[in-house]
Every structure is written in C-alpha cells, then in structure tokens.
Amino acid sequence: MTAPRVGSVLSVRDLEVRYRGPDGDVCAVDGVSFDVRPGEVLGLAGESGSGKSTLAHAALRLLRPPAVITRGEVWIDGEDVLALGPGGLARLRWRTASIVLQNALDALNPVLTVHEQLADTLRAHAPFPNARAARLRAEELLALVGLGEDTLDRWPHQLSGGQRQRVNIALALALRPKLVVMDEPTTALDVVVQRELLQRVLQLRDALGFAVLFITHDLPLLFDLADRVGVLYAGRLAELGPAAAMRENPAHPYTRGLLRAMPPLTGPRRPLAGIPGAPPDPAHPLPGCRFAPRCAVAAARCRTEVPFAHAVGPGWRAACHAAPGLPATRSP
Amino acid sequence: MSALAWLARRLGLYAVAAWAALTLGFALPRMVPGDPAAALLARLQGKAGPEAIAALRAALGVSDAPLVEQYGAYLLALTRGDLGVSVSRFPTPVAELIGGALGWTLLLAGVSVAISFVLGSALGLAAAWRGGVLDTVVGPALTLLGAFPYFWLAMGALHVFGFGLGWFPLRHAWDTSVAPAPTLEFGWGVVRHAALPALTLVGASVGGWMLGMRTSARSILATDQVLLARARGLPTARVVSAYVLRNAVLPHLTGFGMALGFVVSGALLTEVVFSYPGEGWLLVQAVRAQDYPLLQGLVLAITLAVLAANALVDVLTLLVDPRTRAA
C-alpha cells in the first residue's frame, strides 16, 4: 500500500467495508484504492451490488450500521478522515467535502422550504448577521444551479425531480467544497433532464474548481463526463484509467464486456453482446479473480490467484492476469 | 386550491357531519318504543291520572305533532342551547347538567390526554435517538403498564395510594369542606382530587404514544434527509426538532385528535372509579336511570366534540405538513 498522494483532494487506500450480520460479514468494498485530483471528475461505474454506493458513503464516513470500515485509509485534502473526531468531521464535512445522493426527494426535508434548508446549512458553518444576508446567499446558490428565487419559498413536493436534484446540488455547493461526491445523482431523472444537469455540474466545476467523485451504473455516461473512469466489480476496482483511452481500448475483460453490451451512439452498428452469468454472492467470495466465472479469457490461474493491479499505460491500471502492458506489480 | 379554500371545504364537511349527528339524535329516540314521559310514568306505576300524564308530556316536550314540525322545533330549540329536560333529575335542563360536567371532564381527561401525548412522544423520540435504558427498559415497562385492564389499574391505584397510603382523596373533584370559590385553597383541592385519576390515565396511555413515536422516529432517522442534515453539521437540537420530530409526529396527529375528541365522552372508567363528576360519570348515571333526554344530549355533545377535535387536527396538520396545503 502506498502513501496518500500529495495534492490529491481525495485519497482512498486499500479500503475495505463490511456489513456485519448474524451469519458473518459481507464484504462490500474490498481493497479499493484511488485518488481524486483537484478539479477533476473521477467516475466510478459498477452494477448493483458492486459496492459503489457503499464506497461513496464510506468516503465521507456516512456509513450507517451494520456497515463498518474494517481496513484502509481515506484522506481528504490532507486530513486522515478515519482518524477524525466529531469536531474535525464536522469541519471537514460540507466545508471541504459534500455529497449528493440518488433520491433527490428523500434527501430533502419535506416540511421545510428550500430556503430554510439552505439557510440551516449556511448557518451551521458561519454565522449570518441577519436573515436578509442568509437569504441573499441562498438566492445566489440557487442561481448557480439555474433555479430562480421563486424556488426559495417552495417545499420539495412542489418541485420537479430535476429541480429537486438541483436544490441538492446547491446544498452540496453551499460552502464551496473542494470535493463533491455524487452518488447516482441523475439515475432517477429522464435523459434530457440528466444531460442538462450534468452540463451544469461541469460548468460549475470549471467555474468553481471543485473535484467530483461521480458514481453511476451508466458507463457510457461516465466516458462522456469524467476525466478518468474506474470500473468496480464485486467490491474490487477492475480497471482505472483515462476516460478517452479506456473507451477506445479497455484493458479489463469486464470493461470490454460492458462496452460491448451498450449500443454505440455514433459509428457503425454492431451486434450487442451481454456478459453471461451473474455477479458473485458477496457473502461467499470466490478465491482468485471474482470475474473469472463470467470471463471469456479466464485461465486456470484466474480461479486461484487474486489479480493485482497492472499498469496498462500511464495512469492506467487493470486488475487482470490477462491484461496487456507492463509486467505485474502491486502498484495501485 | 389554496389552503384557505381547502380549510373551508373541510369545515363544510364537518358542518354536514354535525347536521347528520343532530338529525340522528332527533330520529333515534323516536324510533325506539316509548318516550321519556312513559318511562317516568312507569316509575309511578299507574298512579298518575290522564291530566297529570298530559302535563308531564308537555313538560318533557313530547308531542304528537307531525315529525317535520317536531324536527323544526327540535332544531330551533338547539339553536337556543335547549336540549330538553332531564328525566332523572327533573326538572333540571340537560344542557345545564352537561355544561356542569364538561369543565371537570376537560380538566381531568383533556389535560391527561395532552400530557400523555407530549410526554409519550418525547420519550419515544428520545428512545429512538439515544436508545439505551429508555429504549430497552422504560419503553417495555410503560407498554406493560398500559396492557393492564384500565379499571384494575385505576382501582389498584385508588386502593394503594388513596385508601392505603392516604396520599390522595378517595372521591369527588373538589374539597367539599372548602367553599367553591376562586381561592388558592379550593384550587389546591381540585388539583389534589384530579392528581390520582390523571396519573392513572397518563400511566395507561403514555406507553402507546411512546411506542408509536419511537417507531416513526426510527424510520425518519433512517432517511437520507436526516443523514444529510447531520452531515451538513446542523446543530443536534435543530436536527431533532425540525428534521426528525416534525416528520415523525405527523402520523400521530390524527390519533391525538381522536383521543382528544373522545375526551368529552369522558374517561368513563376513570370517572366511575374515582366518582369524578364529569361527562362519563353523567353518562353512566343517565344509562342507569334510563334518562333518554340526557343520553341524547350527551351523545350529541360527544359527537360534536369528536368533530371539533378532528377539525382542530386538520388545522394543525395544515400548519405542520406543507404537503397537505397543496392537495
């Protein structure tokens, strides 16, 4: 395991998260390491149960029992997140890092207006001289996400799905954080609203300079949106690399399978192919590579020996024995 | 639709329900065989002559006029607050009897229900938020207390704390040796007399409120909005009051309204056990004496109280839950 990268806004090292249960633990995130650099969009893709949401919550220490972090490190802006006390955590959360969750309606308090929720967040971190100042600041935040001041005095149930998620993004940006974790923020929205919202996020990233850890099951979306893309499979990081290069020439068989299962929006038509089989049961982990039972190129070694990350190219690694590139090293 | 229009429509509905209750109150006694005068006469065992019978029927408002006419007269009398005359306590007007008992019932049962709801909700919220002994011992203990048959609990309390230890008076609502006047001494007597029945009422119901509140607070605590409110660093007091409590209390407002509405039917068993002169006690007296006019008046008063309590809850819900304002 290597030290956190200097200058990263988020460093996750060898992170393991388990769900405690009466019949033993279930390991949801298993030895994941990655960095998010200032101002970049790092996308993490994975199917249901791959541990992506658990990872998002773990990064800000928002896991609820029975989930516990059992190994590894999380560093945000130079601070050891797992070692922080309540005071340190309160400083870190929302001023340095914030989060947007998938269900926009669940994330808002149904009995408070948008303004009350924004003002609560602002006041929790900085005193406002008067109500007028807080209201002006809330207005500015809504303007950032493209909502008018008439939204201020509305309740969540009066807003559309897209507007609600805009409010959540405004809440996440309220204290100008360096990192915003977005856990499937657009999954519940239709494609048109999704695109508008993501364009807005990218514009804001350019203007305000925050970094985004973007989590989704939608790999093609990530290739359009993210600077770098990671692919999670059964709690492990299968591949992580620059978006453009990875899209052209994915190194991990799982990434290749995912891309082959999606119709290309441009270029010639080609037959679609699914990935046979289903993800493994996390309660009964397999020895060796977890993708091996579904992998077209699996060899005998894949079923016994856990593949460690290979450097495939500059800033690009894949956890696969069959991946091309440099000889096997245990570098993240 | 605006909140005001919504409220107006609701109140209109209550007006219709109240009218239906009034009409039922008119129709029911006329559907049963006999009339108040017959009941009273039965007690005289035929010793009254025809003139006496006619005079009694007139005094009790029994007439052979067409129903529509009677109905009109009934409604007219109601607008004057005239509910007829009690048979068992002839010739005291029913309205006077009900009015006299109402204050005691509101004092005892009303205050008890309010205390029980507030205390139970606070305990449930604390149990859901903090857990610990409150959740593992106090909650189940209060639920157990509420599971006892109420009359048994009340009589047990009266026996131990009233009769045995002599801490509380045994019966009635005020100190009969003190002149009923707005004095400190009289007031203290009233409090002393209400204390034990109120304690049994609160003890029997607080566990239910606590359990309900604990469950809904638990489910609210598990929502993303509470997780995020805490992640945003909001002060604990703000998270508990505005993000947890306000959402968790919503499903219980209706139950509270129902409980409040049934206050006027009196905490029947309480008032009987403690001989407390409220509506419940009056109701039992009326049934025993077959005092139809009084029963009719009481049923009407109870119905109107339930309706009024529901209207109150509607307004309360409107204030607490903005989602109800849009529908």
Side-chain angles (χ1 to χ4, degrees):
Chain A
M1 194 167 83
T2 52
R5 188 191 161 95
V6 175
S8 284
V9 65
L10 170 68
S11 282
V12 172
R13 287 290 172 274
D14 195 27
L15 190 71
E16 182 183 89
V17 181
R18 288 172 171 272
Y19 284 83
R20 300 273 188 223
D23 306 320
D25 293 358
V26 171
C27 186
V29 175
D30 186 2
V32 170
S33 303
F34 62 88
D35 282 276
V36 180
R37 298 167 195 149
E40 80 165 340
V41 177
L42 174 71
L44 285 182
E47 56 195 292
S48 296
S50 61
K52 54 190 191 301
S53 269
T54 305
L55 191 58
H57 283 75
L60 292 190
R61 262 180 68 187
L62 287 173
L63 289 174
R64 280 181 279 212
V68 280
I69 296 173
T70 43
R71 200 180 69 215
E73 293 174 26
V74 177
W75 294 77
I76 291 180
D77 199 31
E79 287 206 80
D80 184 352
V81 177
L82 303 188
L84 285 175
L89 209 52
R91 245 184 305 110
L92 177 89
R93 279 200 302 231
W94 241 259
R95 265 192 242 176
T96 311
S98 61
I99 191 167
V100 177
L101 299 179
Q102 174 177 357
N103 189 329
L105 187 58
D106 265 9
L108 296 170
N109 184 344
V111 299
L112 295 185
T113 61
V114 169
H115 171 251
E116 285 171 307
Q117 303 191 48
L118 278 165
D120 272 351
T121 306
L122 292 168
R123 276 201 213 95
H125 294 271
F128 272 85
N130 54 48
R132 181 96 198 101
R135 198 175 166 87
L136 280 176
R137 180 82 185 99
E139 245 178 71
E140 282 172 32
L141 285 168
L142 284 188
L144 278 184
V145 293
L147 293 174
E149 65 160 327
D150 55 316
T151 315
L152 272 181
D153 295 312
R154 287 173 181 259
W155 283 278
H157 72 270
Q158 295 174 311
L159 305 175
S160 71
Q163 289 172 322
R164 285 175 196 148
Q165 202 57 296
R166 281 167 196 263
V167 170
N168 279 308
I169 292 171
L171 279 164
L173 298 179
L175 298 152
R176 295 278 158 92
K178 294 182 180 172
L179 169 72
V180 181
V181 177
M182 296 191 167
D183 183 11
E184 304 218 41
T186 58
T187 304
L189 304 176
D190 69 66
V191 191
V192 177
V193 175
Q194 175 175 321
R195 188 139 299 263
E196 281 172 14
L197 200 67
L198 292 178
Q199 262 158 17
R200 177 69 71 162
V201 169
L202 288 181
Q203 283 168 15
L204 289 172
R205 189 269 309 252
D206 293 342
L208 305 174
F210 55 85
V212 179
L213 173 61
F214 196 96
I215 285 163
T216 179
H217 63 270
D218 190 343
L219 190 60
L221 177 88
L222 274 193
F223 280 130
D224 286 346
L225 176 80
D227 302 311
R228 291 188 303 134
V229 170
V231 176
L232 281 166
Y233 185 77
R236 289 186 186 150
L237 206 48
E239 183 170 3
L240 176 71
M246 233 171 106
R247 174 173 18 202
E248 288 312 310
N249 195 14
H252 197 286
Y254 178 57
T255 318
R256 275 206 294 279
L258 284 178
L259 281 173
R260 219 175 287 140
M262 316 278 186
L265 290 178
T266 53
R269 287 164 60 135
R270 55 166 176 74
L272 296 181
I275 305 173
D281 177 1
H284 303 98
L286 302 165
C289 176
R290 290 187 177 156
F291 187 61
R294 303 171 74 185
C295 181
V297 297
R301 179 189 177 199
C302 298
R303 296 181 203 283
T304 53
E305 201 179 312
V306 177
F308 288 99
H310 295 46
V312 178
W316 187 359
R317 60 191 158 94
C320 174
H321 294 305
L326 310 166
T329 52
R330 281 194 59 176
S331 72
Chain B
M1 188 168 27
S2 76
L4 222 58
W6 182 88
L7 195 62
R9 207 183 61 169
R10 296 294 297 177
L11 291 179
L13 274 174
Y14 285 121
V16 172
W19 169 78
L22 293 178
T23 305
L24 263 178
F26 169 80
L28 276 177
R30 282 161 182 80
M31 289 201 268
V32 287
D35 59 54
L40 197 58
L41 285 169
R43 272 185 235 166
L44 301 173
Q45 296 186 332
K47 283 176 212 154
E51 303 84 25
I53 294 174
L56 201 57
R57 284 171 65 91
L60 291 173
V62 180
S63 82
D64 296 320
L67 275 180
V68 181
E69 214 170 281
Q70 286 188 43
Y71 184 58
Y74 166 77
L75 289 183
L76 203 67
L78 277 184
T79 58
R80 296 193 307 262
D82 181 1
L83 294 167
V85 178
S86 164
V87 176
S88 59
R89 298 195 201 173
F90 190 77
T92 318
V94 167
E96 200 180 304
L97 287 173
I98 293 177
L102 191 64
W104 296 115
T105 285
L106 288 182
L107 179 75
L108 176 63
V111 171
S112 298
V113 165
I115 289 179
S116 185
F117 178 71
V118 171
L119 184 69
S121 297
L123 286 173
L125 183 66
W129 180 266
R130 312 214 66 155
V133 178
L134 202 61
D135 199 23
T136 53
V137 180
V138 177
L142 287 175
T143 309
L144 186 71
L145 192 68
F148 282 109
Y150 176 75
F151 68 90
W152 187 87
L153 195 72
M155 286 164 81
L158 187 64
H159 182 78
V160 175
F161 300 108
F163 189 72
L165 297 169
W167 292 354
F168 298 97
L170 291 177
R171 49 182 290 113
H172 217 57
W174 66 88
D175 204 336
T176 38
S177 61
V178 180
T183 60
L184 217 58
E185 199 185 358
F186 181 72
W188 172 237
V190 168
V191 170
R192 256 168 35 89
H193 279 78
L196 192 58
L199 273 177
T200 62
L201 274 176
V202 171
S205 57
V206 74
W209 293 121
M210 179 179 177
L211 203 65
M213 190 59 178
R214 175 194 175 275
T215 307
S216 57
R218 271 287 179 95
S219 66
I220 297 294
L221 280 171
T223 56
D224 283 346
Q225 56 109 358
V226 174
L227 181 80
L228 288 175
R230 294 172 83 171
R232 286 183 208 127
L234 265 54
T236 304
R238 178 73 180 158
V239 175
V240 171
S241 64
Y243 290 73
V244 182
L245 180 63
R246 264 189 76 178
N247 285 296
V249 83
L250 293 176
H252 304 296
L253 282 181
T254 312
F256 177 59
M258 301 274 279
L260 213 56
F262 285 113
V263 156
V264 172
S265 69
L268 199 115
L269 290 170
T270 320
E271 293 181 358
V272 171
V273 170
F274 295 92
S275 309
Y276 201 86
E279 303 287 348
W281 190 68
L282 197 62
L283 190 65
V284 173
Q285 303 264 306
V287 172
R288 275 200 193 132
Q290 287 187 296
D291 190 341
Y292 289 120
L294 183 54
L295 267 176
Q296 198 182 329
L298 279 168
V299 168
L300 193 64
I302 291 164
T303 315
L304 292 181
V306 171
L307 289 176
N310 276 301
L312 183 74
V313 168
D314 271 352
V315 175
L316 214 59
T317 309
L318 213 59
L319 290 176
V320 184
D321 189 354
R323 283 165 295 185
T324 55
R325 283 170 238 176

